Amino acid sequence: MDTLLGMRTFCAVVNEGSFIKGAESLDMSAALASKYVGQLEERLGVRLLNRTTRSMALTEAGQAYFDECAQLIADFDMLETVTRDRQATPVGHLRISAPVSFGQDRLTEALAAFLRQHPGISIETKLTDRFVNIVNEGYDMAIRIGKLEDSSLIARKLLPISISFFAAPTYLAAHGTPQHPEDLLAHQCIVDMNHRGRNNWQFETDEGTRMISVKGQYLTDSADSCRMMALCGLGIGCAPSFVVEDDIRNGHLVPLLTDLTHAEHNLYALYPHSRHVASKVRLCVDFLAHYFADGNPALSSR
């Protein structure tokens, strides 16, 4: 038996909580996984797992071995990654998560430019407005907008994102135009649940930070949906400026409270901590940082 394969099998079984699921993650049969773990125990001369027909549990020796074994496998995989990344031409597959409204236009355009420069790299983007656990869901990196909570991820700021408040002319004609944050309390507001504060809209004024708890008939988890509902005249919306800049320019939406600023938001690239960051990730993050910093059309103020 290959010792490394036995170690991988043992770790997979422990991580998945069963021989069946551990074997599936390695594309082998449960019987073969059991055989490999048994051979590993025989080689070491200790029992690593106490197993019955219905359950299994790490022995004390098994727990100690698992802790060291998992690190050795991670170190071995990293060694292989470092060696591959030293080649002159970067290659590999990148899985990236990004918000829908930003990803459909701005990010896609930027990634197209990146791929033209690096034909050996392929990219898969998952556009979703839900929070994605990068590590657990197998992503190399994520693009996120907003204030970041403390995290085990590395965050690279790409650029600031301004926030706009807006409504359709028809809504304002019927309900009036708010002049102060407190005026929003008398209006229908369209709430994007992706915002950390949800219906608590935060403003920076000369007197300091103001928090207004708005309300309305419509809640959503999509900035584009907020935009469409505002275009239909159903209330006042709040979204990143790039989502509504074309509608404001052509008069379909009216910007509101422009003399105030929303709490600061930024665009970030996030990726897991590692002693060695894969060159494909490093290249992509560096490219995006320079791309947006150089004022490329994808985020021009137009």
Side-chain angles (χ1 to χ4, degrees):
M1 179 200 68
D2 183 297
T3 302
L4 182 61
L5 178 57
M7 293 166 65
R8 286 191 188 279
T9 304
F10 169 66
C11 286
V13 168
V14 173
N15 284 328
E16 297 295 336
S18 76
F19 277 91
I20 293 176
K21 292 182 179 179
E24 288 176 352
S25 71
L26 297 176
D27 196 24
M28 66 173 64
S29 68
L32 187 57
S34 179
K35 175 182 176 182
Y36 284 163
V37 172
Q39 289 177 341
L40 186 63
E41 290 176 321
E42 184 178 349
R43 181 177 181 276
L44 295 171
V46 297
R47 178 171 290 279
L48 300 174
L49 294 169
N50 287 321
R51 42 197 183 272
T52 67
T53 55
R54 294 188 176 183
S55 65
M56 66 166 214
L58 282 166
T59 63
E60 183 177 351
Q63 182 65 64
Y65 185 76
F66 172 76
D67 293 339
E68 297 295 332
C69 188
Q71 185 59 56
L72 285 172
I73 291 174
D75 290 343
F76 178 84
D77 291 342
M78 184 179 296
L79 175 62
E80 289 198 326
T81 298
V82 170
T83 303
R84 284 195 298 267
D85 285 350
R86 283 175 178 162
Q87 58 190 324
T89 304
V91 298
H93 186 69
L94 267 174
R95 296 190 74 227
I96 302 174
S97 170
V100 176
S101 56
F102 183 81
Q104 286 177 333
D105 183 11
R106 275 69 175 180
L107 181 62
T108 299
E109 183 176 337
L111 292 179
F114 174 76
L115 290 174
R116 283 193 290 268
Q117 289 189 15
H118 301 285
I121 295 178
S122 60
I123 292 178
E124 171 191 348
T125 57
K126 174 66 173 180
L127 302 183
T128 177
D129 288 326
R130 73 173 179 84
F131 178 85
V132 170
N133 187 308
I134 300 175
V135 176
N136 290 351
E137 298 184 45
Y139 287 93
D140 296 292
M141 57 183 285
I143 304 297
R144 289 184 185 157
I145 297 173
K147 288 186 175 181
L148 298 180
E149 298 177 350
D150 290 339
S151 171
S152 60
L153 301 174
I154 298 173
R156 174 82 174 270
K157 180 180 175 179
L158 301 180
L159 78 165
I161 296 289
S162 60
I163 301 296
S164 292
F165 300 89
F166 49 85
T170 53
Y171 176 86
L172 297 177
H175 302 281
T177 301
Q179 302 298 321
H180 306 284
E182 291 78 6
D183 296 343
L184 294 172
L185 296 173
H187 285 269
Q188 284 286 328
C189 293
I190 303 162
V191 176
D192 185 348
M193 295 182 292
N194 283 315
H195 290 176
R196 182 182 299 180
R198 297 187 63 168
N199 64 317
N200 294 314
W201 291 1
Q202 187 171 319
F203 298 86
E204 302 299 331
T205 69
D206 293 337
E207 291 76 31
T209 301
R210 299 294 305 276
M211 187 79 74
I212 304 297
S213 296
V214 301
K215 59 183 179 181
Q217 291 178 280
Y218 188 67
L219 292 82
T220 182
D221 63 353
S222 165
D224 285 317
S225 185
C226 283
R227 166 185 169 268
M228 287 303 301
M229 191 62 68
L231 286 170
C232 292
L234 269 295
I236 295 174
C238 170
S241 298
F242 65 82
V243 175
V244 294
E245 59 186 4
D246 288 338
D247 299 302
I248 289 175
R249 188 180 306 106
N250 60 33
H252 294 162
L253 290 174
V254 177
L256 303 173
L257 305 172
T258 55
D259 58 332
L260 302 175
T261 58
H262 194 273
E264 180 185 359
H265 285 67
N266 294 301
L267 180 75
Y268 294 94
L270 296 97
Y271 50 96
H273 275 284
S274 174
R275 283 186 293 166
H276 176 80
V277 178
S279 63
K280 60 184 181 180
V281 175
R282 185 182 64 253
L283 279 171
C284 188
V285 172
D286 289 345
F287 179 89
L288 293 177
H290 289 104
Y291 184 90
F292 294 129
D294 291 342
N296 281 278
L299 275 178
S300 65
S301 59
R302 291 185 244 181

